[in-house]
mmCIF file of all heavy atoms in Angstrom:
data_model
loop_
_atom_site.group_PDB
_atom_site.id
_atom_site.type_symbol
_atom_site.label_atom_id
_atom_site.label_comp_id
_atom_site.label_asym_id
_atom_site.label_seq_id
_atom_site.Cartn_x
_atom_site.Cartn_y
_atom_site.Cartn_z
ATOM 1 N N TYR A 69 93.114 198.347 39.714
ATOM 2 C CA TYR A 69 93.494 199.755 39.612
ATOM 3 C C TYR A 69 94.379 199.955 38.390
ATOM 4 O O TYR A 69 95.460 199.362 38.288
ATOM 5 C CB TYR A 69 94.228 200.171 40.883
ATOM 6 C CG TYR A 69 94.515 201.654 41.000
ATOM 7 C CD1 TYR A 69 93.589 202.610 40.595
ATOM 8 C CD2 TYR A 69 95.712 202.103 41.547
ATOM 9 C CE1 TYR A 69 93.854 203.967 40.716
ATOM 10 C CE2 TYR A 69 95.982 203.457 41.683
ATOM 11 C CZ TYR A 69 95.046 204.379 41.259
ATOM 12 O OH TYR A 69 95.305 205.731 41.380
ATOM 13 N N PRO A 70 93.975 200.788 37.433
ATOM 14 C CA PRO A 70 94.758 200.975 36.198
ATOM 15 C C PRO A 70 96.105 201.652 36.451
ATOM 16 O O PRO A 70 96.264 202.440 37.385
ATOM 17 C CB PRO A 70 93.851 201.868 35.341
ATOM 18 C CG PRO A 70 92.491 201.774 35.947
ATOM 19 C CD PRO A 70 92.708 201.530 37.402
ATOM 20 N N HIS A 71 97.063 201.348 35.575
ATOM 21 C CA HIS A 71 98.340 202.068 35.577
ATOM 22 C C HIS A 71 98.144 203.501 35.070
ATOM 23 O O HIS A 71 98.782 204.439 35.560
ATOM 24 C CB HIS A 71 99.354 201.386 34.646
ATOM 25 C CG HIS A 71 99.830 200.059 35.146
ATOM 26 N ND1 HIS A 71 100.656 199.252 34.410
ATOM 27 C CD2 HIS A 71 99.606 199.393 36.307
ATOM 28 C CE1 HIS A 71 100.927 198.146 35.085
ATOM 29 N NE2 HIS A 71 100.291 198.206 36.242
ATOM 30 N N ALA A 72 97.288 203.670 34.064
ATOM 31 C CA ALA A 72 97.087 204.974 33.431
ATOM 32 C C ALA A 72 96.141 205.834 34.276
ATOM 33 O O ALA A 72 95.460 205.347 35.186
ATOM 34 C CB ALA A 72 96.513 204.790 32.026
ATOM 35 N N GLU A 73 96.090 207.112 33.956
ATOM 36 C CA GLU A 73 95.218 208.036 34.671
ATOM 37 C C GLU A 73 93.763 207.599 34.568
ATOM 38 O O GLU A 73 93.258 207.303 33.477
ATOM 39 C CB GLU A 73 95.366 209.455 34.117
ATOM 40 C CG GLU A 73 94.488 210.485 34.819
ATOM 41 C CD GLU A 73 94.680 211.881 34.281
ATOM 42 O OE1 GLU A 73 95.734 212.137 33.647
ATOM 43 O OE2 GLU A 73 93.776 212.722 34.492
ATOM 44 N N PHE A 74 93.086 207.562 35.687
ATOM 45 C CA PHE A 74 91.690 207.128 35.729
ATOM 46 C C PHE A 74 90.816 208.145 34.978
ATOM 47 O O PHE A 74 90.901 209.355 35.238
ATOM 48 C CB PHE A 74 91.222 207.005 37.177
ATOM 49 C CG PHE A 74 89.943 206.235 37.339
ATOM 50 C CD1 PHE A 74 89.965 204.865 37.539
ATOM 51 C CD2 PHE A 74 88.712 206.878 37.286
ATOM 52 C CE1 PHE A 74 88.785 204.145 37.686
ATOM 53 C CE2 PHE A 74 87.535 206.172 37.429
ATOM 54 C CZ PHE A 74 87.571 204.801 37.625
ATOM 55 N N PRO A 75 89.964 207.699 34.037
ATOM 56 C CA PRO A 75 89.233 208.621 33.154
ATOM 57 C C PRO A 75 87.950 209.165 33.772
ATOM 58 O O PRO A 75 86.846 208.937 33.258
ATOM 59 C CB PRO A 75 88.941 207.740 31.929
ATOM 60 C CG PRO A 75 88.792 206.364 32.505
ATOM 61 C CD PRO A 75 89.766 206.287 33.653
ATOM 62 N N TYR A 76 88.075 209.904 34.853
ATOM 63 C CA TYR A 76 86.902 210.429 35.549
ATOM 64 C C TYR A 76 86.005 211.240 34.612
ATOM 65 O O TYR A 76 84.797 210.970 34.482
ATOM 66 C CB TYR A 76 87.336 211.313 36.730
ATOM 67 C CG TYR A 76 87.996 210.584 37.866
ATOM 68 C CD1 TYR A 76 89.370 210.684 38.088
ATOM 69 C CD2 TYR A 76 87.252 209.803 38.745
ATOM 70 C CE1 TYR A 76 89.984 210.023 39.140
ATOM 71 C CE2 TYR A 76 87.851 209.141 39.799
ATOM 72 C CZ TYR A 76 89.215 209.252 39.990
ATOM 73 O OH TYR A 76 89.820 208.585 41.047
ATOM 74 N N SER A 77 86.564 212.250 33.974
ATOM 75 C CA SER A 77 85.763 213.146 33.137
ATOM 76 C C SER A 77 85.195 212.431 31.925
ATOM 77 O O SER A 77 84.039 212.650 31.536
ATOM 78 C CB SER A 77 86.602 214.346 32.686
ATOM 79 O OG SER A 77 87.042 215.098 33.789
ATOM 80 N N TRP A 78 85.985 211.576 31.306
ATOM 81 C CA TRP A 78 85.536 210.856 30.116
ATOM 82 C C TRP A 78 84.308 210.005 30.420
ATOM 83 O O TRP A 78 83.329 209.998 29.678
ATOM 84 C CB TRP A 78 86.684 209.983 29.595
ATOM 85 C CG TRP A 78 86.430 209.361 28.241
ATOM 86 C CD1 TRP A 78 85.376 209.574 27.405
ATOM 87 C CD2 TRP A 78 87.272 208.415 27.586
ATOM 88 N NE1 TRP A 78 85.500 208.825 26.271
ATOM 89 C CE2 TRP A 78 86.652 208.104 26.352
ATOM 90 C CE3 TRP A 78 88.489 207.813 27.906
ATOM 91 C CZ2 TRP A 78 87.219 207.194 25.445
ATOM 92 C CZ3 TRP A 78 89.043 206.928 27.004
ATOM 93 C CH2 TRP A 78 88.415 206.613 25.791
ATOM 94 N N LEU A 79 84.340 209.284 31.542
ATOM 95 C CA LEU A 79 83.208 208.445 31.928
ATOM 96 C C LEU A 79 81.947 209.276 32.154
ATOM 97 O O LEU A 79 80.856 208.921 31.696
ATOM 98 C CB LEU A 79 83.554 207.654 33.191
ATOM 99 C CG LEU A 79 84.570 206.525 33.027
ATOM 100 C CD1 LEU A 79 85.074 206.056 34.373
ATOM 101 C CD2 LEU A 79 83.950 205.356 32.262
ATOM 102 N N ALA A 80 82.108 210.394 32.852
ATOM 103 C CA ALA A 80 80.945 211.240 33.131
ATOM 104 C C ALA A 80 80.412 211.898 31.865
ATOM 105 O O ALA A 80 79.193 211.897 31.607
ATOM 106 C CB ALA A 80 81.311 212.294 34.174
ATOM 107 N N ASP A 81 81.304 212.440 31.059
ATOM 108 C CA ASP A 81 80.878 213.162 29.858
ATOM 109 C C ASP A 81 80.196 212.233 28.853
ATOM 110 O O ASP A 81 79.150 212.563 28.284
ATOM 111 C CB ASP A 81 82.071 213.855 29.200
ATOM 112 C CG ASP A 81 82.641 214.979 30.053
ATOM 113 O OD1 ASP A 81 81.930 215.425 30.969
ATOM 114 O OD2 ASP A 81 83.789 215.388 29.801
ATOM 115 N N GLU A 82 80.780 211.077 28.624
ATOM 116 C CA GLU A 82 80.235 210.157 27.614
ATOM 117 C C GLU A 82 78.873 209.606 28.041
ATOM 118 O O GLU A 82 77.947 209.527 27.232
ATOM 119 C CB GLU A 82 81.221 209.022 27.364
ATOM 120 C CG GLU A 82 80.765 208.000 26.331
ATOM 121 C CD GLU A 82 80.571 208.598 24.946
ATOM 122 O OE1 GLU A 82 81.285 209.570 24.610
ATOM 123 O OE2 GLU A 82 79.707 208.093 24.203
ATOM 124 N N ASN A 83 78.743 209.236 29.292
ATOM 125 C CA ASN A 83 77.455 208.696 29.742
ATOM 126 C C ASN A 83 76.384 209.772 29.794
ATOM 127 O O ASN A 83 75.202 209.493 29.555
ATOM 128 C CB ASN A 83 77.615 208.033 31.110
ATOM 129 C CG ASN A 83 78.199 206.633 31.003
ATOM 130 O OD1 ASN A 83 77.505 205.684 30.656
ATOM 131 N ND2 ASN A 83 79.487 206.513 31.297
ATOM 132 N N ARG A 84 76.792 211.003 30.087
ATOM 133 C CA ARG A 84 75.822 212.104 30.119
ATOM 134 C C ARG A 84 75.243 212.357 28.727
ATOM 135 O O ARG A 84 74.081 212.758 28.588
ATOM 136 C CB ARG A 84 76.497 213.363 30.663
ATOM 137 C CG ARG A 84 75.508 214.457 31.082
ATOM 138 C CD ARG A 84 76.233 215.699 31.565
ATOM 139 N NE ARG A 84 76.934 215.465 32.812
ATOM 140 C CZ ARG A 84 78.257 215.475 32.950
ATOM 141 N NH1 ARG A 84 79.024 215.691 31.891
ATOM 142 N NH2 ARG A 84 78.811 215.274 34.124
ATOM 143 N N LYS A 85 76.033 212.099 27.695
ATOM 144 C CA LYS A 85 75.578 212.335 26.327
ATOM 145 C C LYS A 85 74.646 211.242 25.818
ATOM 146 O O LYS A 85 73.855 211.471 24.903
ATOM 147 C CB LYS A 85 76.787 212.421 25.381
ATOM 148 C CG LYS A 85 77.645 213.658 25.575
ATOM 149 C CD LYS A 85 78.680 213.790 24.472
ATOM 150 C CE LYS A 85 79.623 212.611 24.440
ATOM 151 N NZ LYS A 85 80.717 212.792 23.445
ATOM 152 N N ARG A 86 74.740 210.046 26.393
ATOM 153 C CA ARG A 86 73.990 208.913 25.864
ATOM 154 C C ARG A 86 72.550 208.900 26.386
ATOM 155 O O ARG A 86 72.290 209.280 27.526
ATOM 156 C CB ARG A 86 74.680 207.602 26.229
ATOM 157 C CG ARG A 86 76.066 207.468 25.610
ATOM 158 C CD ARG A 86 76.624 206.081 25.790
ATOM 159 N NE ARG A 86 77.922 205.941 25.149
ATOM 160 C CZ ARG A 86 78.520 204.770 24.922
ATOM 161 N NH1 ARG A 86 77.940 203.639 25.290
ATOM 162 N NH2 ARG A 86 79.696 204.735 24.327
ATOM 163 N N GLY A 87 71.645 208.435 25.551
ATOM 164 C CA GLY A 87 70.250 208.306 25.949
ATOM 165 C C GLY A 87 69.974 206.970 26.610
ATOM 166 O O GLY A 87 70.833 206.082 26.647
ATOM 167 N N LYS A 88 68.754 206.824 27.110
ATOM 168 C CA LYS A 88 68.390 205.597 27.823
ATOM 169 C C LYS A 88 68.429 204.370 26.923
ATOM 170 O O LYS A 88 68.590 203.245 27.385
ATOM 171 C CB LYS A 88 66.995 205.751 28.442
ATOM 172 C CG LYS A 88 66.948 206.716 29.616
ATOM 173 C CD LYS A 88 65.556 206.776 30.229
ATOM 174 C CE LYS A 88 65.546 207.598 31.510
ATOM 175 N NZ LYS A 88 65.947 208.982 31.311
ATOM 176 N N GLU A 89 68.237 204.574 25.614
ATOM 177 C CA GLU A 89 68.238 203.433 24.697
ATOM 178 C C GLU A 89 69.649 202.960 24.365
ATOM 179 O O GLU A 89 69.838 201.883 23.784
ATOM 180 C CB GLU A 89 67.510 203.805 23.405
ATOM 181 C CG GLU A 89 68.246 204.774 22.482
ATOM 182 C CD GLU A 89 68.290 206.210 22.968
ATOM 183 O OE1 GLU A 89 67.581 206.518 23.962
ATOM 184 O OE2 GLU A 89 69.019 207.031 22.371
ATOM 185 N N SER A 90 70.669 203.714 24.741
ATOM 186 C CA SER A 90 72.053 203.359 24.428
ATOM 187 C C SER A 90 72.679 202.567 25.574
ATOM 188 O O SER A 90 72.281 202.712 26.741
ATOM 189 C CB SER A 90 72.885 204.628 24.184
ATOM 190 O OG SER A 90 72.361 205.379 23.111
ATOM 191 N N PRO A 91 73.666 201.745 25.273
ATOM 192 C CA PRO A 91 74.376 201.043 26.354
ATOM 193 C C PRO A 91 75.193 202.019 27.188
ATOM 194 O O PRO A 91 75.516 203.114 26.738
ATOM 195 C CB PRO A 91 75.275 200.059 25.604
ATOM 196 C CG PRO A 91 75.477 200.685 24.261
ATOM 197 C CD PRO A 91 74.201 201.396 23.943
ATOM 198 N N GLU A 92 75.519 201.608 28.401
ATOM 199 C CA GLU A 92 76.354 202.440 29.257
ATOM 200 C C GLU A 92 77.806 202.401 28.766
ATOM 201 O O GLU A 92 78.245 201.429 28.180
ATOM 202 C CB GLU A 92 76.278 201.943 30.701
ATOM 203 C CG GLU A 92 74.892 202.056 31.308
ATOM 204 C CD GLU A 92 74.776 201.327 32.630
ATOM 205 O OE1 GLU A 92 75.827 200.943 33.187
ATOM 206 O OE2 GLU A 92 73.645 201.123 33.098
ATOM 207 N N PHE A 93 78.508 203.456 29.020
ATOM 208 C CA PHE A 93 79.935 203.537 28.710
ATOM 209 C C PHE A 93 80.686 203.152 29.973
ATOM 210 O O PHE A 93 80.668 203.863 30.978
ATOM 211 C CB PHE A 93 80.289 204.962 28.268
ATOM 212 C CG PHE A 93 81.718 205.135 27.838
ATOM 213 C CD1 PHE A 93 82.214 204.467 26.731
ATOM 214 C CD2 PHE A 93 82.568 205.989 28.530
ATOM 215 C CE1 PHE A 93 83.538 204.630 26.320
ATOM 216 C CE2 PHE A 93 83.878 206.172 28.134
ATOM 217 C CZ PHE A 93 84.363 205.483 27.017
ATOM 218 N N GLU A 94 81.334 201.984 29.919
ATOM 219 C CA GLU A 94 81.956 201.425 31.103
ATOM 220 C C GLU A 94 83.453 201.714 31.137
ATOM 221 O O GLU A 94 84.065 202.068 30.126
ATOM 222 C CB GLU A 94 81.715 199.913 31.160
ATOM 223 C CG GLU A 94 80.259 199.504 31.118
ATOM 224 C CD GLU A 94 79.487 199.865 32.385
ATOM 225 O OE1 GLU A 94 80.053 200.545 33.273
ATOM 226 O OE2 GLU A 94 78.311 199.486 32.480
ATOM 227 N N LEU A 95 84.044 201.492 32.291
ATOM 228 C CA LEU A 95 85.477 201.719 32.462
ATOM 229 C C LEU A 95 86.288 200.874 31.480
ATOM 230 O O LEU A 95 87.264 201.353 30.899
ATOM 231 C CB LEU A 95 85.881 201.409 33.905
ATOM 232 C CG LEU A 95 87.348 201.601 34.283
ATOM 233 C CD1 LEU A 95 87.793 203.036 34.041
ATOM 234 C CD2 LEU A 95 87.579 201.219 35.744
ATOM 235 N N VAL A 96 85.879 199.639 31.257
ATOM 236 C CA VAL A 96 86.625 198.767 30.350
ATOM 237 C C VAL A 96 86.549 199.267 28.908
ATOM 238 O O VAL A 96 87.453 199.000 28.098
ATOM 239 C CB VAL A 96 86.114 197.312 30.467
ATOM 240 C CG1 VAL A 96 84.715 197.168 29.870
ATOM 241 C CG2 VAL A 96 87.089 196.328 29.844
ATOM 242 N N ASP A 97 85.486 200.023 28.571
ATOM 243 C CA ASP A 97 85.332 200.547 27.211
ATOM 244 C C ASP A 97 86.365 201.622 26.881
ATOM 245 O O ASP A 97 86.578 201.939 25.713
ATOM 246 C CB ASP A 97 83.922 201.126 27.013
ATOM 247 C CG ASP A 97 82.843 200.072 27.145
ATOM 248 O OD1 ASP A 97 83.109 198.903 26.792
ATOM 249 O OD2 ASP A 97 81.732 200.407 27.609
ATOM 250 N N THR A 98 86.994 202.191 27.882
ATOM 251 C CA THR A 98 88.006 203.221 27.645
ATOM 252 C C THR A 98 89.332 202.627 27.174
ATOM 253 O O THR A 98 90.226 203.364 26.755
ATOM 254 C CB THR A 98 88.264 204.033 28.928
ATOM 255 O OG1 THR A 98 88.888 203.186 29.916
ATOM 256 C CG2 THR A 98 86.962 204.605 29.489
ATOM 257 N N GLY A 99 89.472 201.313 27.281
ATOM 258 C CA GLY A 99 90.729 200.669 26.908
ATOM 259 C C GLY A 99 91.803 200.750 27.967
ATOM 260 O O GLY A 99 92.959 200.381 27.718
#
């Protein structure tokens, strides 16, 4: 469980923008 605010919107928004050929945007990718 992260100390910082959990990036709910960021995860949803970024993955929604990516196409099937792109890698998934994971929680660890947010830093």
Side-chain angles (χ1 to χ4, degrees):
Y69 188 39
H71 291 175
E73 180 178 340
F74 195 90
Y76 292 107
S77 298
W78 190 6
L79 289 166
D81 293 343
E82 180 62 30
N83 280 282
R84 195 182 292 113
K85 291 189 299 185
R86 297 190 178 194
K88 289 183 173 61
E89 72 287 350
S90 300
E92 296 169 13
F93 184 64
E94 304 290 6
L95 181 59
V96 70
D97 297 328
T98 67

